[in-house]
Amino acid sequence: MAAMQSGQLPRWRAVGRPAGPDAPTRCRLQFLLLLACMQSSTAQRAFQLSTATCTLTADATNCQVAQAGDAALRVVFNAAAAQGVETSLTLDMSAATTCSATSEFCPQVFLVTSDNVANIVKILKCSYYRQADYSSHLLTYTFVNVGDKNPFVIKDGHDFSRAVVPPGAVRECICYCAGTCSTETNNRLHCPNASPR
C-alpha cells in the first residue's frame, strides 16, 4: 500500500463507499436479484368479451358486433351445413366497418365455436391495428376453440391454412408485413402447428 500524504483519505472513503465485490461477483448478484424480481412478479392478460355473438349461417366478410372496449370477439359457426361444407369469416383489419357498424376496433382475440370441420377464420391485412398500419410492430392474434367437437382453420390473405385449432385448443399467431402493408399479400400470419390444406 502506498504511503498516504497528510490529510488524504483512503480511496474508498473519498468516493463514499467501500470497494465491494469484483465484477464477476457483482454480475452474479445482479442476475440473482433480477431473477428473484421476475419470479415474484406476475402478469395477467385480461380481455373484455364481446357481449354480442357473431353467428354465421353463411360466408361473411364482417362481424359487426364489437362495442367499445371489447378485446375478444365471440364467433359461432352455425350454418347447419353437412360436414365438410366450408363456411368462412373473412375480416379485413384495415376496414372501419369490419367488426362494428360504428367503426369500433376489431379485437385480436377470437373465441370460436365450430359446427363442422371445414370452417375458416381468415384475417386480411393483419398488420393493421385499430385500422391503422402498424407494420413497425409485430401484432399477435389469439384464436381459442371453445367448441366441443369440431376444429376450425386459420388463414390469411395468401389463402393457405396457417393453423388448425381443435376443440379446447389455443393458437397464437404473429403477423408480419414485408413491404407495403396495404397490399394484402405482404401480410402474413405465422402460427405454430400449421397444417397444409
Side-chain angles (χ1 to χ4, degrees):
M1 182 179 203
M4 291 191 301
Q5 295 177 359
S6 174
Q8 187 179 24
L9 294 174
R11 184 171 190 271
W12 64 270
R13 290 212 185 262
V15 293
R17 65 179 185 194
D22 62 354
T25 303
R26 272 194 314 269
C27 184
R28 281 192 294 273
L29 289 173
Q30 289 171 342
F31 173 74
L32 290 174
L33 179 62
L34 177 64
L35 186 61
C37 289
M38 286 175 33
Q39 288 180 345
S40 66
S41 67
T42 58
Q44 179 64 44
R45 298 187 323 174
F47 303 99
Q48 179 176 312
L49 298 172
S50 59
T51 53
T53 299
C54 179
T55 302
L56 301 169
T57 56
D59 290 345
T61 57
N62 63 41
C63 187
Q64 296 181 332
V65 298
Q67 298 177 7
D70 286 351
L73 190 65
R74 299 174 198 249
V75 177
V76 174
F77 286 96
N78 196 17
Q83 288 292 331
V85 176
E86 183 178 292
T87 304
S88 296
L89 172 61
T90 302
L91 300 175
D92 182 345
M93 302 310 268
S94 69
T97 57
T98 296
C99 292
S100 167
T102 59
S103 299
E104 292 300 332
F105 307 124
C106 280
Q108 291 177 270
V109 177
F110 301 90
L111 298 176
V112 180
T113 303
S114 181
D115 68 344
N116 78 64
V117 298
N119 293 323
I120 298 168
V121 176
K122 184 188 288 188
I123 305 295
L124 302 179
K125 296 182 184 166
C126 62
S127 63
Y128 279 72
Y129 175 68
R130 297 185 172 209
Q131 300 146 10
D133 181 345
Y134 261 68
S135 56
S136 60
H137 295 69
L138 293 175
L139 299 180
T140 303
Y141 290 86
T142 305
F143 302 88
V144 182
N145 189 336
V146 295
D148 295 326
K149 190 175 175 185
N150 296 297
F152 68 93
V153 173
I154 302 165
K155 290 187 176 184
D156 57 21
H158 293 268
D159 210 28
F160 292 118
S161 174
R162 298 299 178 194
V164 174
V165 188
V170 176
R171 295 289 182 263
E172 194 162 66
C173 302
I174 295 175
C175 175
Y176 173 69
C177 176
T180 305
C181 297
S182 59
T183 303
E184 172 49 43
T185 54
N186 289 338
N187 294 264
R188 176 172 281 173
L189 288 172
H190 297 269
C191 311
N193 302 317
S195 174
R197 180 170 174 195

